[in-house]
């Protein structure tokens, strides 16, 4: 064997021994299979983990059910309205009229229903109204919000003749808190024009602006109220305009 061949064979043997030593070092240090096994273990899914997560979610649901506000709300209120009655020519027909009224409402999240009743002994009529309410802004009755309503009001008049007047209406109610306990409330109601056998053609709208202060679940409020009514007698051409303006005060309870 020549010296060159001997030297080449020696280099090949030394390189093979060095490679085997490096491979053995990698395996002995856990570089290859130990680290890969650790990564696989970290991403492993097991039945025990699933049961632990399920139990944790159940505890979170219980906590949320105990600490979340109820989706149901209720309101009960009552008030007293003192007003003056003005005729078409601007004169005061009568003064110091009074009306006693009550109202209630029930909500399930942003949808609610309501009812109103008022009794006017001076003008010999009573009103009963039902409302369907849709809250488009705000999350509770005691928060800033905007509510649209649609309803039906029935007025029973017991003067010389008994007359029943039913009118559908649309309403917008904007409530705004200026502080945590004090706020403003504006309401506009438009009654759909109707024709009545005794009264004739009737048109009407209502505007109410209120200030209020809350004490926990109790609200005390005061309102300026203006109601406009236009009546054209059957077969007639003259229209009688009546305007009622006054102050309404009362309380509301929220549940």
């Amino acid at each position: 064997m020549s010296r060159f061949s001997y030297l080449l064979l020696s280099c090949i043997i030394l390189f093979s021994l060095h490679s085997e030593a490096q491979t053995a070092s990698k395996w002995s240090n856990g570089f290859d299979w130990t680290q890969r096994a650790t990564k696989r273990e970290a991403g492993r899914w097991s039945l025990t983990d699933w049961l632990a997560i399920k139990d944790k979610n159940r505890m979170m649901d219980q906590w949320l059910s105990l600490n979340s506000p109820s989706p149901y709300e209720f309101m009960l209120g009552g008030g007293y309205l003192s007003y003056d009655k003005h005729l078409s020519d601007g004169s005061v027909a009568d003064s110091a009229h009074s009306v006693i009224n009550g109202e209630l409402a029930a909500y399930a999240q942003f949808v609610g229903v309501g009812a109103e009743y008022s009794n006017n002994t001076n003008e010999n009529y009573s009103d009963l109204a039902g409302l369907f309410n849709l809250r488009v802004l705000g999350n509770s009755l005691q928060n800033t919000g905007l509510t649209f309503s649609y309803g039906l009001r029935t007025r029973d008049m017991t003067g010389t003749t008994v007359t029943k007047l039913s009118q559908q209406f649309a309403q917008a109610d904007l409530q705004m808190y200026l502080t945590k306990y004090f706020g403003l409330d504006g309401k506009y109601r438009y009654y759909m024009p109707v024709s009545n056998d005794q009264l004739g053609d009737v048109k009407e709208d209502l505007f109410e602006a209120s200030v209020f202060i809350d004490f926990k679940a109790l609200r005390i409020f005061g309102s300026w109220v203006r109601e406009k009514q236009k009546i054209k007698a059957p077969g007639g051409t003259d229209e009688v305009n009546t305007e009622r303006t006054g102050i309404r005060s009362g309380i509301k309870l929220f549940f």
Side-chain angles (χ1 to χ4, degrees):
M1 182 180 293
S2 65
R3 291 183 178 181
F4 178 76
S5 299
Y6 179 79
L7 181 60
L8 180 61
L9 180 61
S10 299
C11 291
I12 293 174
I13 294 173
L14 289 176
F15 180 77
S16 300
L17 292 175
H18 179 70
S19 299
E20 290 179 1
Q22 286 185 337
T23 303
S25 177
K26 289 181 180 181
W27 281 89
S28 62
N29 292 334
F31 177 79
D32 189 15
W33 62 271
T34 305
Q35 290 186 3
R36 293 180 62 188
T38 303
K39 291 180 180 180
R40 288 194 297 267
E41 181 181 354
R44 184 181 301 148
W45 182 89
S46 67
L47 180 61
T48 304
D49 295 334
W50 181 79
L51 292 174
I53 294 174
K54 183 178 179 182
D55 186 63
K56 181 180 178 181
N57 291 338
R58 184 171 63 251
M59 294 179 63
M60 292 175 62
D61 292 339
Q62 291 177 351
W63 185 91
L64 289 174
S65 64
L66 292 174
N67 293 275
S68 298
S70 171
Y72 303 104
E73 297 180 90
F74 302 93
M75 183 275 293
L76 179 65
Y80 178 86
L81 171 63
S82 177
Y83 70 91
D84 295 331
K85 181 180 177 182
H86 304 266
L87 298 180
S88 303
D89 58 1
S91 63
V92 179
D94 296 298
S95 61
H97 287 319
S98 60
V99 179
I100 298 175
N101 67 279
E103 59 181 322
L104 59 88
Y107 276 80
Q109 294 183 343
F110 58 89
V111 177
V113 294
E116 299 175 355
Y117 176 78
S118 61
N119 186 23
N120 189 328
T121 56
N122 299 112
E123 296 192 59
N124 298 316
Y125 69 79
S126 61
D127 290 342
L128 179 62
L131 302 89
F132 173 78
N133 305 313
L134 179 64
R135 184 165 53 213
V136 297
L137 177 65
N139 58 6
S140 74
L141 289 170
Q142 287 187 288
N143 200 352
T144 296
L146 175 62
T147 303
F148 294 114
S149 305
Y150 191 83
L152 174 67
R153 185 199 67 178
T154 300
R155 172 168 290 183
D156 289 322
M157 291 168 279
T158 57
T160 55
T161 59
V162 178
T163 304
K164 186 183 292 289
L165 178 66
S166 296
Q167 289 178 278
Q168 300 180 56
F169 63 86
Q171 175 179 292
D173 190 341
L174 176 62
Q175 177 177 270
M176 182 174 296
Y177 276 82
L178 303 181
T179 67
K180 287 185 177 295
Y181 309 103
F182 175 78
L184 305 175
D185 191 358
K187 178 173 68 177
Y188 178 75
R189 178 180 295 182
Y190 177 76
Y191 293 92
M192 308 300 174
V194 295
S195 295
N196 184 272
D197 294 337
Q198 289 80 22
L199 299 176
D201 298 332
V202 181
K203 301 177 182 179
E204 189 174 351
D205 67 347
L206 172 73
F207 176 75
E208 183 173 345
S210 307
V211 295
F212 63 85
I213 184 170
D214 285 355
F215 300 94
K216 301 291 185 180
L218 172 66
R219 172 175 295 179
I220 300 175
F221 68 89
S223 306
W224 179 79
V225 181
R226 187 211 65 195
E227 181 185 32
K228 288 185 176 182
Q229 188 180 62
K230 298 179 180 180
I231 299 178
K232 182 186 294 186
T237 57
D238 295 335
E239 191 175 64
V240 178
N241 297 331
T242 303
E243 182 176 283
R244 299 175 178 90
T245 57
I247 301 297
R248 185 164 73 99
S249 58
I251 61 172
K252 292 181 180 180
L253 292 173
F254 300 94
F255 304 93

